[in-house]
């Protein structure tokens, strides 16, 4: 088991790892729309926040030796199910080809009061 850490995705805001690698599988923690360079939450719109989340996820996976194309499962936590369609539109820009399995649930509150949080399971990229 190996902890994954990168400056290209938001630092953990608690006692946890950004991701864990076990064999060829990478398990990410929940990723929120923090700009890694500033530590600030990006934009007020759900689209801006979703773009930042998926950019952060992509950066984390890249630095762990994987990519968005190797994601096999995502879990999307959203603050308001009315944002589901708009989040899906952004999601579709980051996942193409064989789409990962996914769960999406509405929750009452997320860290730093953001609009969404995403976690993923991916396999390492073929060498």
């Amino acid at each position: 088991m190996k902890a994954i850490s990168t400056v290209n995705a938001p630092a953990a805001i608690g006692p946890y790892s950004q991701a864990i690698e076990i064999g060829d599988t990478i398990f990410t923690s929940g990723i929120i729309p923090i700009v890694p360079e500033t530590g600030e939450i990006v934009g007020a719109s759900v689209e801006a926040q979703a773009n930042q989340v998926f950019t952060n996820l992509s950066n984390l996976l890249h630095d762990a030796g994987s990519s968005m194309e190797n994601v096999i499962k995502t879990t999307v936590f959203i603050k308001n199910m009315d944002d589901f369609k708009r989040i899906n539109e952004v999601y579709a820009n980051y996942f193409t080809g064989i789409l990962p399995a996914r769960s999406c649930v509405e929750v009452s509150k997320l860290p730093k009061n953001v609009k969404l949080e995403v976690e993923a399971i991916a396999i390492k990229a073929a060498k």
Side-chain angles (χ1 to χ4, degrees):
M1 182 165 65
K2 174 183 168 187
I4 304 295
S5 180
T6 179
V7 297
N8 296 314
I13 56 174
Y16 59 88
S17 298
Q18 288 172 304
I20 293 289
E21 178 183 324
I22 299 175
D24 286 338
T25 307
I26 299 162
F27 300 84
T28 74
S29 291
I31 298 173
I32 60 175
I34 293 176
V35 177
E37 297 81 13
T38 65
E40 300 296 320
I41 302 298
V42 73
S45 76
V46 72
E47 292 90 351
Q49 289 196 8
N51 273 302
Q52 187 65 52
V53 165
F54 293 118
T55 296
N56 290 342
L57 176 59
S58 179
N59 291 343
L60 177 58
L61 291 172
H62 176 269
D63 289 357
S66 189
S67 67
M68 298 295 269
E69 292 80 24
N70 291 321
V71 173
I72 56 176
K73 171 77 166 83
T74 62
T75 305
V76 180
F77 303 94
I78 60 177
K79 193 171 176 182
N80 185 338
M81 195 56 79
D82 292 339
D83 291 333
F84 183 75
K85 182 178 183 223
R86 295 186 307 169
I87 291 169
N88 268 342
E89 289 168 357
V90 175
Y91 188 98
N93 293 322
Y94 289 88
F95 295 103
T96 59
I98 298 174
L99 299 173
R102 181 180 79 178
S103 300
C104 181
V105 295
E106 180 182 76
V107 296
S108 64
K109 194 167 185 177
L110 289 164
K112 298 189 175 275
N113 207 29
V114 298
K115 297 178 184 299
L116 76 155
E117 179 174 4
V118 176
E119 62 184 32
I121 302 170
I123 57 172
K124 295 217 35 162
K127 294 180 181 175

